[in-house]
Amino acid sequence: MGNGSHATLVDARRRESSKSARISWHVRGELWLVVLACAFVLLQLLLVRPGMGLGWDETVYVSQVSPHAPAAFFSAPRARGTSLLAAPVASWSSSTPLLRTYLALLSGLGLFLALRAWRGLLPVRVRVSAGALFATLWVTLFYGPQAMPNYWVAVGALAGTGYFLRAQADPSDRKALWGVGAGAALMAWMRPTDAVWAILPLLVLVVGVRRWRRPQLLAALLVGLVAGAGEWVIEAYVSYGGLGQRLSDASAIQGGLGWNIAVADQMRSLGGRALCRPCAGAMPSLAEMAWWFVLPLLAALGLLLAVRTRRTATALLPLACAATAAFPYLFLIGYAAPRFLLPAYALLAVPAADVLVQWVTAPGRARRTVAVTLVALGVGGHLTMQYAVLKGAVHHTTAAHRDWARTAAELHRLGVRPPCRLTGHEAIPIAFYAGCASAQTEGHNTSTTRADMLRTAQHIPVAALATENGEPPAYARRWPSHPFGGLRILLGPAVRESGL
């Protein structure tokens, strides 16, 4: 009887020790994710720099919630998620460095939570490696601290796919179901159409494949989409003439969605171009583009590894979602921007990291040494090139934003001060920098009429901007012209009447 009691006690202690070991390993794993997220934030603050200034699209999103300038025209493709994301800082402060720092911190938190969603599906070292692959891409670092939607679509896609796999494996996992809905809602909140493309494989599985059918999963996906895109759909009927009209307008602004092979355009943007429209000029060097071909290749090898180890879904599902998320930007629009493919890069990083980890931890000392050496050399070269491209992108972008700030200062010197209105070339970002409203009588950002512009110009300072060789709006051609920084600034009657 004494021996039996002793055996029971020993067994209980062993179980407790095993449980403690699991908890300890779990805590260490979470700490590695925290370290990665902190490093990601630090790299953004050091390499992108908070004082870079706001870009064109950023001024549109931030102006919706900022007291610094009137809200810019909000075109059909845009969604309010980015504006609301920036609102906790932008609604009371006009400091761009403060906004950048806040968004960098938030992006680090988002990366941590997205990788944490894969807990129980992949080892910690694979999750950390996948996060590092994604976080060290120049395009991820560049857009992480910006008031733009694409990084957050990527985070939502990465988290939602992980939670989907967890919910499928354990139908009783309520947290995973909530995670699926939250991931879909975040994507739809930022860009509704991107959300649909990114979760398309998930919808196909839960509807069309019998062993994947889970009413709870389908409900979580649909509720998430509705929660995220609901405001966008309501706004379509209130301000854009209906959902169909808004989608049609969005397509027109993007050059008309149809069969447009933009693969070469995306390749041209890899050298650090924020927007490639029209996309002409030489291709970047092979060294700058190499990672773009290696990442999907590694992901495909990761799929083969997953099939061999009987965990196919953990590689196939992110690959499928990456393919559908990238499809419209590779084949349906006639221009490119590197940020468009951020969701695909985040998802491809998962199976790519899996195969890299397997290589460097393979049995056999000689084989492992060769693998570690080759991977280390490849990663070192990759990081060097990513830094070089990022440095160039930050330099050119900062210079462009400083030009806008200088033009805004010149407008103030000429007497164009709030309340004021700008129109013409690059009027939207320059107006934000100057604290003015912006309006156009033609083009994708049409928001007023010629008669309204002429009437407004009689009462408040109005200026039309044109390039040195470009044509200003017809109604402004007789206004006094002032050359500045490659632009012509044409001043309306109210400015002239102020004595300038």
Side-chain angles (χ1 to χ4, degrees), residues 107-127:
S107 68
L109 177 61
L111 181 65
F112 168 78
L113 294 176
L115 293 171
R116 196 169 183 268
W118 289 77
R119 186 178 60 189
L121 299 171
L122 295 170
V124 170
R125 57 179 176 267
V126 174
R127 289 188 284 148

Side-chain angles (χ1 to χ4, degrees), residues 179-257:
V180 171
L186 177 61
M187 288 188 285
W189 193 39
M190 295 294 168
R191 288 188 71 87
T193 52
D194 284 14
V196 174
W197 282 103
I199 69 168
L200 188 58
L202 310 184
L203 290 171
V204 169
L205 280 177
V206 296
V207 172
V209 180
R210 179 176 299 176
R211 75 183 194 87
W212 284 82
R213 287 176 187 167
R214 296 280 191 280
Q216 304 96 320
L217 271 176
L218 178 60
L221 287 169
L222 295 180
V223 169
L225 279 179
V226 171
E231 185 277 334
W232 194 84
V233 173
I234 293 170
E235 188 180 44
Y237 287 97
V238 172
S239 304
Y240 295 89
L243 181 59
Q245 186 61 50
R246 185 168 195 175
L247 290 171
S248 176
D249 291 347
S251 174
I253 288 172
Q254 293 173 315
L257 295 181

Side-chain angles (χ1 to χ4, degrees), residues 62-359:
V62 173
S63 70
Q64 309 303 310
V65 294
S66 173
H68 174 69
F73 176 72
F74 208 74
S75 60
R78 302 187 189 276
R80 303 282 174 178
T82 305
S83 299
L84 296 176
L85 190 73
V89 169
S91 61
W92 59 270
S93 173
S94 60
S95 170
T96 300
L98 181 61
L99 179 62
R100 288 260 185 263
T101 303
Y102 157 73
L103 290 172
L105 290 169
L106 209 58
S107 68
L109 177 61
L111 181 65
F112 168 78
L113 294 176
L115 293 171
R116 196 169 183 268
W118 289 77
R119 186 178 60 189
L121 299 171
L122 295 170
V124 170
R125 57 179 176 267
V126 174
R127 289 188 284 148
V128 172
S129 299
L133 278 176
F134 177 59
T136 53
L137 295 177
W138 77 263
V139 63
T140 309
L141 285 166
F142 188 66
Y143 284 104
Q146 294 196 39
M148 297 288 282
N150 311 86
Y151 172 81
W152 295 100
V153 176
V155 166
L158 182 60
T161 305
Y163 280 124
F164 182 90
L165 286 166
R166 280 174 50 181
Q168 170 63 25
D170 182 6
S172 65
D173 190 342
R174 307 294 296 179
K175 290 182 179 179
L177 279 177
W178 280 102
V180 171
L186 177 61
M187 288 188 285
W189 193 39
M190 295 294 168
R191 288 188 71 87
T193 52
D194 284 14
V196 174
W197 282 103
I199 69 168
L200 188 58
L202 310 184
L203 290 171
V204 169
L205 280 177
V206 296
V207 172
V209 180
R210 179 176 299 176
R211 75 183 194 87
W212 284 82
R213 287 176 187 167
R214 296 280 191 280
Q216 304 96 320
L217 271 176
L218 178 60
L221 287 169
L222 295 180
V223 169
L225 279 179
V226 171
E231 185 277 334
W232 194 84
V233 173
I234 293 170
E235 188 180 44
Y237 287 97
V238 172
S239 304
Y240 295 89
L243 181 59
Q245 186 61 50
R246 185 168 195 175
L247 290 171
S248 176
D249 291 347
S251 174
I253 288 172
Q254 293 173 315
L257 295 181
W259 188 248
N260 292 297
I261 300 178
V263 176
D265 294 343
Q266 285 291 346
M267 291 168 62
R268 286 189 178 92
S269 74
L270 295 174
R273 298 171 66 175
L275 182 64
C276 202
R277 185 180 190 180
C279 208
M283 288 283 185
S285 67
L286 182 59
E288 291 173 320
M289 296 190 297
W291 71 271
W292 203 68
F293 298 97
V294 172
L295 182 60
L297 176 61
L298 287 174
L301 292 174
L303 175 60
L304 294 177
L305 172 68
V307 170
R308 191 167 65 246
T309 55
R310 295 186 178 181
R311 46 188 180 83
T312 305
T314 60
L316 181 58
L317 210 54
L319 264 173
C321 291
T324 56
F327 181 81
Y329 293 114
L330 292 175
F331 301 108
L332 296 182
I333 65 173
Y335 66 100
R339 59 188 171 86
F340 291 163
L341 298 182
L342 275 170
Y345 301 150
L347 291 162
L348 289 173
V350 173
D354 196 9
V355 76
L356 288 176
V357 169
Q358 290 296 321
W359 285 347

Side-chain angles (χ1 to χ4, degrees), residues 464-478:
L465 305 175
T467 60
E468 288 180 335
N469 301 317
E471 286 293 330
Y475 57 82
R477 289 173 187 168
R478 294 180 180 273

